[in-house]
């Protein structure tokens, strides 16, 4: 939602190679050392080869990533907007603004209203480093240095992931990180780019780009746009008017609809929502109401245990196909071994289900190659055009970065740059072709109060995340013998808070929110800042999502996993 509302099109505009050219890295809301370790090693290689490279990390915790930072901003969870506004304020004061960008390639917007550059300056004037320091609980000097390093470097690359997204102001945070790049001109050059890191493999190409969200159609098209619906009806060879103009339920809304009894049947593939959703007890109960079919490579999981029917699915090496990753690169994955027993690929499951439901004629592409060719043709008339990424090329080359409009094109490292991006027109510096006026949007946002602030009864803020050794809900990693020793049902708590509440290191504690509770082992450590506690969400037996908050960002509908009020008590 951040990318679409700023540039008119989804997905990052840069590529991994930008890491090798950046002079400053602004890592915010991401523990890259544990969650994106290969990319983090690439950043460290850049630092080793060019020691003057400056690394800024914004994170309430002193993570493994922070250990290698030159500057750490340990802000209060949920105060990102104040920080980024203050950095913009300082960039203006230091005259680190790219005037050509402001005059030629940007428009300013607040809500539905267009704003002038002068109005933008007045807006961020309220966010001095001192004011942001009060809100974020970091020093004004650190905010000033972050702004200077970001704006004055030769090339700044920002990287972020769920720490930004999983907040009730997640879209605003995404927009403002992009805004810092736009107003300083740190964009569209080697090493200068805003770059979101997807939280899961294929989350971009396999979910967002294919239109597998309730408001989307393939290739960046949207359900509510009549022209887009008609384009897809023609491409899918179905009568005009076949596609409903009404978006479906968003992710949390779908389970709320189950709770109300509005959903009679549900098919769940490749995910484990009974474990991964916030306020998990509530939504696990909701999943008991409809007829539930779950396709998964692993059983049991929290979700398959609720299913009326479990369809065994092949794992990644037991099927072939194409996946994407953060830099828009599509890769071919060959089938290595046959799936065991009755397990089938997701494609085979969907095709046979369509046949048994009497809708087999809708699924014309039934082989891996045919599915990919259909997808290529759908992309050809979109801002994603990768018609030139044929199956033959994917088998020979190590992936290709779209846009790739024909089979002679080598791929596009950086989008929106005329002469580099084949979709960009003209000979100017940028063509943000996803927007009618060709300009990107800088949004004006105010820092809002937390939807669930700490109170005397719930005095601590709980945030969640991952550890290096495990993946998400442990469906893949939890059965590995070599990882059995990894402790993932712990609660990090700062020594000051541990002393205040009488909690000893290693003690069993109960974490209680307004929604539910979870029993965890206390880990007293300076990794957590005072007032903040942290737990991984991997544990199957001790499910931290029993306590997390199911409120969500009003634009993206992303749940606020990173911020909820709790109390912590030692159990007997």
């Amino acid at each position: 939602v951040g990318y679409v509302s700023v540039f008119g099109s989804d997905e990052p505009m840069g590529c991994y190679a930008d890491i090798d050219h950046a002079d400053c890295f602004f890592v915010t809301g991401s523990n890259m050392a544990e969650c994106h370790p290969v990319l983090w090693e690439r950043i460290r290689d850049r630092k080793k080869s060019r020691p003057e490279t400056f690394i800024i990390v914004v994170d309430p915790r002193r993570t493994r990533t922070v250990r290698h930072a030159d500057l750490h901003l340990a802000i209060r969870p949920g105060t990102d907007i104040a920080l980024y506004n203050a950095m913009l304020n300082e960039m203006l004061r230091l005259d680190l603004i790219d005037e050509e960008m402001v005059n030629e390639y940007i428009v300013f917007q607040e809500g539905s209203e267009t704003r002038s550059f002068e109005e933008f300056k007045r807006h961020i004037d309220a966010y001095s480093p001192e004011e942001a320091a009060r809100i974020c609980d970091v020093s004004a000097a650190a905010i000033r240095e972050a702004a200077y390093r970001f704006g004055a470097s030769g090339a700044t690359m920002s990287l972020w992931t769920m720490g930004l997204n999983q907040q009730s102001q997640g879209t605003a945070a995404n927009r403002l990180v992009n805004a810092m790049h736009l107003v300083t001109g740190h964009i569209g050059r080697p090493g200068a780019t805003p770059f979101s890191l997807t939280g899961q493999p294929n989350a971009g190409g396999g979910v967002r780009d294919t239109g597998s969200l309730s408001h989307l159609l393939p290739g960046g098209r949207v359900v509510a746009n009549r022209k887009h619906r008609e384009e897809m009806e023609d491409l899918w060879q179905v009568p005009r008017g076949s596609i409903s103009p009404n978006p479906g339920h968003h992710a949390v809304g779908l389970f709320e609809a189950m709770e109300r009894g509005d959903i009679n049947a549900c098919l769940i593939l490749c995910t484990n929502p009974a474990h991964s959703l916030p306020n998990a007890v509530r939504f696990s109960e909701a999943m008991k109401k409809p007829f539930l079919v779950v396709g998964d490579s692993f059983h049991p999981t929290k979700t398959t245990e609720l299913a009326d029917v479990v369809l065994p699915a092949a794992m990644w090496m037991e099927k072939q196909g194409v996946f994407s990753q953060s830099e828009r690169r599509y890769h071919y994955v060959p089938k290595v071994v046959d799936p065991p027993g009755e397990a089938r690929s997701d494609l085979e499951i969907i095709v046979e289900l369509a046949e048994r439901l009497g809708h087999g004629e809708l699924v014309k592409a039934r082989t891996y190659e045919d599915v990919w060719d259909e997808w290529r043709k759908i992309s050809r008339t979109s801002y994603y055009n990768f018609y030139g990424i044929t199956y033959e090329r994917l088998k020979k080359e190590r992936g290709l970065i779209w846009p790739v409009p024909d089979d002679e094109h080598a791929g596009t490292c950086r989008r929106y740059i005329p002469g580099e991006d084949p979709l960009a027109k003209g000979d100017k510096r940028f063509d943000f072709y996803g927007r009618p006026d060709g300009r990107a949007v800088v949004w004006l946002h105010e820092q809002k109060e937390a939807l669930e602030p700490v109170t005397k009864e719930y005095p601590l803020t709980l945030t969640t995340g991952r550890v290096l050794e495990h993946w998400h809900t442990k469906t893949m990693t939890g059965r590995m013998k070599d990882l059995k020793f990894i402790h993932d049902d712990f609660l990090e708590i700062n020594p000051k808070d541990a002393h205040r509440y009488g909690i000893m290191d290693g003690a069993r504690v109960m974490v209680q929110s307004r929604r539910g509770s979870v029993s965890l082992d206390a880990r007293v450590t300076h990794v957590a800042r005072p007032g903040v506690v942290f737990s991984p969400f991997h544990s199957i037996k001790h499910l931290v999502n029993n306590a997390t908050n199911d409120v969500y960002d009003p634009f993206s509908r992303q749940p606020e996993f990173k911020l909820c009020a709790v109390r912590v008590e030692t159990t007997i």
Side-chain angles (χ1 to χ4, degrees):
V1 175
Y3 278 135
V4 172
S5 60
V6 171
F7 300 111
S9 181
D10 193 11
E11 305 298 348
M13 62 182 294
C15 59
Y16 290 157
D18 284 309
I19 294 172
D20 306 328
H21 300 279
D23 301 311
C24 176
F25 293 98
F26 185 71
V27 182
T28 181
S30 178
N31 181 11
M32 289 184 68
E34 296 193 72
C35 302
H36 294 86
V38 177
L39 288 182
W40 180 242
E41 287 305 310
R42 192 164 177 173
I43 289 176
R44 293 196 66 197
D45 286 344
R46 174 64 173 169
K47 178 76 171 178
K48 290 172 186 175
S49 64
R50 194 177 185 280
E52 63 270 31
T53 301
F54 201 82
I55 300 175
I56 305 165
V57 178
V58 182
D59 197 307
R61 301 170 60 228
R62 188 172 176 78
T63 63
R64 294 189 189 188
T65 307
V66 169
R67 294 173 197 171
H68 301 282
D70 297 289
L71 178 63
H72 176 209
L73 296 170
I75 65 172
R76 286 193 182 105
T79 60
D80 303 73
I81 307 309
L83 173 65
Y84 307 144
N85 276 335
M87 288 178 65
L88 285 162
N89 180 311
E90 182 69 3
M91 290 167 184
L92 273 169
R93 189 185 72 83
L94 296 174
D95 196 24
L96 297 174
I97 303 302
D98 186 324
E99 292 186 6
E100 183 188 17
M101 287 295 300
V102 171
N103 294 328
E104 301 293 332
Y105 301 106
I106 296 173
V107 294
F108 297 89
Q109 190 165 332
E110 184 174 16
S112 60
E113 301 295 325
T114 301
R115 299 293 186 225
S116 67
F117 182 46
E118 293 302 317
E119 289 173 311
F120 167 73
K121 289 194 289 186
R122 286 196 294 271
H123 168 79
I124 62 172
D125 192 50
Y127 291 90
S128 66
E130 287 75 18
E131 176 61 13
R134 182 189 65 80
I135 296 170
C136 302
D137 193 27
V138 296
S139 74
I143 295 173
R144 285 197 172 90
E145 183 173 10
Y148 170 75
R149 295 285 185 173
F150 188 115
S153 79
T156 295
M157 183 176 189
S158 292
L159 301 110
W160 71 94
T161 185
M162 297 307 172
L164 253 67
N165 303 338
Q166 292 177 344
Q167 302 184 55
S168 57
Q169 282 196 280
T171 297
N174 274 257
R175 287 169 171 174
L176 287 179
V177 172
N178 283 304
M180 290 193 290
H181 283 270
L182 286 164
V183 300
T184 59
H186 282 292
I187 196 163
R189 295 182 283 109
T193 191
F195 195 98
S196 67
L197 298 165
T198 49
Q200 302 177 45
N202 213 30
V207 178
R208 283 144 54 181
D209 300 351
T210 57
S212 300
L213 297 175
S214 61
H215 68 294
L216 291 179
L217 292 168
R221 300 171 178 91
V222 294
V223 169
N225 186 309
R226 179 179 176 181
K227 180 183 177 183
H228 291 178
R229 295 197 304 274
E230 291 177 348
E231 284 179 9
M232 288 311 307
E233 287 161 351
D234 293 344
L235 287 163
W236 279 332
Q237 299 174 19
V238 296
R240 289 284 181 90
S242 295
I243 299 175
S244 169
N246 303 313
H249 298 289
H250 60 82
V252 176
L254 174 65
F255 295 92
E256 290 173 333
M258 290 183 194
E259 187 177 54
R260 295 192 302 270
D262 295 342
I263 302 294
N264 297 321
C266 184
L267 172 67
I268 296 176
L269 300 174
C270 309
T271 189
N272 185 14
H275 187 143
S276 61
L277 281 171
N279 199 358
V281 173
R282 173 191 177 190
F283 293 126
S284 293
E285 287 299 312
M287 277 184 264
K288 295 177 182 178
K289 294 187 176 183
F291 181 75
L292 194 68
V293 182
V294 180
D296 204 318
S297 306
F298 301 92
H299 177 69
T301 70
K302 291 287 186 183
T303 307
T304 63
E305 288 174 341
L306 300 173
D308 296 286
V309 176
V310 177
L311 301 175
M315 289 183 65
W316 63 272
M317 78 290 289
E318 299 164 354
K319 55 192 174 186
Q320 73 179 62
V322 181
F323 82 98
S324 77
Q325 31 80 324
S326 294
E327 67 170 351
R328 313 182 317 279
R329 185 186 297 271
Y330 275 114
H331 290 265
Y332 169 71
V333 181
K335 179 181 176 180
V336 179
V337 295
D338 290 327
E342 296 181 78
R344 303 187 191 182
S345 73
D346 307 292
L347 176 60
E348 291 173 294
I349 289 172
I350 292 168
V351 168
E352 183 162 343
L353 181 61
E355 286 287 356
R356 294 195 183 202
L357 289 172
H359 297 298
E361 75 283 356
L362 293 175
V363 186
K364 298 178 176 62
R366 297 188 169 206
T367 68
Y368 300 107
E369 291 89 345
D370 287 345
V371 168
W372 180 252
D373 280 339
E374 180 189 86
W375 184 208
R376 285 172 53 231
K377 292 170 185 174
I378 287 170
S379 80
R380 194 175 193 177
T381 52
S382 75
Y383 293 136
Y384 293 65
N385 191 352
F386 48 84
Y387 184 73
I389 307 182
T390 63
Y391 231 62
E392 291 70 26
R393 289 188 72 181
L394 285 170
K395 289 181 178 181
K396 294 176 183 177
E397 303 179 48
R398 295 180 67 83
L400 290 154
I401 305 176
W402 58 264
V404 185
D406 58 62
D407 57 13
E408 298 295 321
H409 197 277
T412 303
C413 284
R414 296 169 192 91
R415 300 167 78 191
Y416 311 127
I417 314 299
E420 184 168 357
D421 182 344
L423 303 184
K425 302 296 186 283
D427 56 3
K428 292 186 176 182
R429 187 173 163 189
F430 294 100
D431 174 23
F432 296 110
Y433 49 76
R435 293 196 20 93
D437 59 3
R439 290 177 175 239
V441 180
V442 169
W443 291 84
L444 283 63
H445 284 288
E446 300 281 4
Q447 175 68 55
K448 295 182 179 179
E449 294 290 333
L451 293 180
E452 188 172 82
V454 295
T455 63
K456 186 177 181 179
E457 185 180 3
Y458 300 99
L460 297 169
T461 298
L462 170 68
T463 187
T464 66
R466 304 174 185 156
V467 298
L468 174 66
E469 296 84 359
H470 280 301
W471 171 250
H472 274 27
T473 63
K474 285 184 15 180
T475 51
M476 289 188 287
T477 58
R479 292 168 172 81
M480 297 176 69
K481 291 181 180 179
D482 290 346
L483 297 181
K484 291 290 186 182
F485 69 95
I486 299 299
H487 195 191
D488 67 345
D489 61 346
F490 62 85
L491 182 82
E492 286 180 355
I493 184 167
N494 187 273
K496 291 183 179 179
D497 295 319
H499 176 74
R500 181 178 294 115
Y501 301 111
I503 294 169
M504 301 294 291
D505 186 52
R508 201 70 179 175
V509 296
M510 184 66 67
V511 181
Q512 179 75 51
S513 75
R514 292 174 174 85
R515 289 155 297 282
S517 62
V518 57
S519 176
L520 301 167
D521 290 335
R523 181 177 291 182
V524 179
T525 172
H526 287 284
V527 171
R529 61 162 283 155
V532 174
V533 292
F534 166 85
S535 178
F537 73 97
H538 307 298
S539 179
I540 297 168
K541 293 182 180 179
H542 304 279
L543 193 60
V544 74
N545 277 330
N546 287 345
T548 50
N549 202 345
D550 53 9
V551 298
Y552 44 79
D553 181 290
F555 303 103
S556 69
R557 309 298 197 269
Q558 179 75 268
E560 191 163 53
F561 289 100
K562 302 305 182 192
L563 176 62
C564 78
V566 298
R567 64 173 177 263
V568 180
E569 300 169 344
T570 301
T571 59
I572 298 174

